[in-house]
Amino acid sequence: MRLLLVEDDDALREDLKHSLEHAGYAVDTATDGEEGEFLGSTEPYDAVVLDLGLPKLGGMDVLKQWRSNNNTVPVVILTARGAWHEKVDGFNAGADDYLSKPFHTEELLARIQAVTRRHHGLSRSVIEAGGLTLDTERQSVTDRSGNSISLTGLEYRLLHYLMMHPGHILSKNRLSEHVYDGEHEADSNTIEVYIKRLRKKFGEDLIETRRGQGYLFTDKS
């Protein structure tokens, strides 16, 4: 899962980036509203954490531009403004959730998980598909026999994205866009290597190769 964090406070931005990466996300950052609006309009993020008090272009205007262009990416607003009418304005502009500063990072993580689940029509933090159980809160995976399987960060993000889209053919480019941040570019063979690793751990029939198209998570229980 790939996130965009738009925050102009340097210390807070770096702390949040570290915490989000530790929680298993690939994270891109922007320091002002113009950069954030551009990245959010051109990159396929799974969710955005958006501060309101941004230089160059305010967070509320960024959100309004995205929504006016039919960009439905889930957005959690961060702000030092706690007035109820500002929260109403945020929700009316298309925010999915709202968190006032100061806050606990654990609450932000829970809200990100909640908005991404709702976006994909999921009701809880556990994803079950293909005989596997993935717990997004604990970043843990168990196989058909109930064994806990250890995964690297990229293996986890790749499996998470595949399990969020069972039965869908996903190209190498699309997978790369959602498991890497903007600072790390994958070559054409990297996704194939990690697909092979997942097959070795969970079975060859779990992920089908569709030549010239991509990969399909089969969801065979």
Side-chain angles (χ1 to χ4, degrees), residues 132-176:
L132 306 182
T133 301
L134 186 147
D135 189 323
T136 60
E137 290 185 3
R138 295 179 174 85
Q139 294 184 56
S140 63
V141 182
T142 55
D143 64 13
R144 296 171 174 85
S145 300
N147 301 311
S148 180
I149 306 299
S150 177
L151 297 176
T152 67
L154 198 146
E155 288 172 346
Y156 171 81
R157 291 197 297 274
L158 180 57
L159 181 62
H160 186 184
Y161 194 76
L162 288 165
M163 291 180 67
M164 292 280 280
H165 301 85
H168 293 262
I169 298 174
L170 305 173
S171 69
K172 288 183 182 180
N173 285 341
R174 180 173 174 182
L175 291 171
S176 295

Side-chain angles (χ1 to χ4, degrees), residues 1-3 16-27 46 109 112-113 134-140 151-161 178-181:
M1 300 286 278
R2 184 180 176 195
L3 304 182
L16 288 179
K17 184 176 190 294
H18 176 76
S19 296
L20 292 168
E21 289 175 338
H22 184 71
Y25 295 101
V27 183
D46 296 293
L109 289 169
I112 292 171
Q113 290 167 0
L134 186 147
D135 189 323
T136 60
E137 290 185 3
R138 295 179 174 85
Q139 294 184 56
S140 63
L151 297 176
T152 67
L154 198 146
E155 288 172 346
Y156 171 81
R157 291 197 297 274
L158 180 57
L159 181 62
H160 186 184
Y161 194 76
H178 287 272
V179 301
Y180 283 94
D181 59 41

Side-chain angles (χ1 to χ4, degrees), residues 4 32-43 45 62 66:
L4 173 62
D32 61 64
E34 287 185 356
E35 182 184 18
E37 195 281 329
F38 174 77
L39 287 174
S41 297
T42 57
E43 297 293 332
Y45 294 106
V62 171
W66 286 340

Side-chain angles (χ1 to χ4, degrees), residues 2-196:
R2 184 180 176 195
L3 304 182
L4 173 62
L5 170 62
V6 190
E7 170 60 62
D8 65 319
D9 185 300
D10 293 340
L12 178 59
R13 185 179 63 256
E14 291 306 310
D15 285 346
L16 288 179
K17 184 176 190 294
H18 176 76
S19 296
L20 292 168
E21 289 175 338
H22 184 71
Y25 295 101
V27 183
D28 291 342
T29 61
T31 59
D32 61 64
E34 287 185 356
E35 182 184 18
E37 195 281 329
F38 174 77
L39 287 174
S41 297
T42 57
E43 297 293 332
Y45 294 106
D46 296 293
V48 177
V49 179
L50 177 67
D51 185 34
L52 286 190
L54 295 169
K56 296 187 179 179
L57 186 66
M60 195 72 74
D61 292 323
V62 171
L63 179 59
K64 288 178 180 178
Q65 287 190 30
W66 286 340
R67 297 309 191 228
S68 67
N69 292 321
N70 297 316
N71 184 342
T72 62
V73 62
V75 175
V76 178
I77 285 179
L78 295 183
T79 182
R81 309 165 189 170
W84 67 267
H85 60 86
E86 291 176 326
K87 293 183 179 181
V88 172
D89 290 342
F91 286 124
N92 286 339
D96 296 271
D97 209 341
Y98 205 113
L99 192 57
S100 298
K101 301 175 182 178
F103 56 86
H104 293 288
T105 304
E106 292 79 6
E107 183 178 3
L108 174 61
L109 289 169
R111 290 175 183 268
I112 292 171
Q113 290 167 0
V115 298
T116 53
R117 287 200 306 269
R118 289 199 301 269
H119 189 69
H120 290 279
L122 301 174
S123 59
R124 58 194 185 118
S125 61
V126 174
I127 304 171
E128 296 177 340
L132 306 182
T133 301
L134 186 147
D135 189 323
T136 60
E137 290 185 3
R138 295 179 174 85
Q139 294 184 56
S140 63
V141 182
T142 55
D143 64 13
R144 296 171 174 85
S145 300
N147 301 311
S148 180
I149 306 299
S150 177
L151 297 176
T152 67
L154 198 146
E155 288 172 346
Y156 171 81
R157 291 197 297 274
L158 180 57
L159 181 62
H160 186 184
Y161 194 76
L162 288 165
M163 291 180 67
M164 292 280 280
H165 301 85
H168 293 262
I169 298 174
L170 305 173
S171 69
K172 288 183 182 180
N173 285 341
R174 180 173 174 182
L175 291 171
S176 295
E177 289 171 343
H178 287 272
V179 301
Y180 283 94
D181 59 41
E183 297 178 358
H184 299 88
E185 293 294 333
D187 62 44
S188 60
N189 294 321
T190 302
I191 293 297
E192 183 177 351
V193 169
Y194 279 91
I195 290 289
K196 288 180 178 178

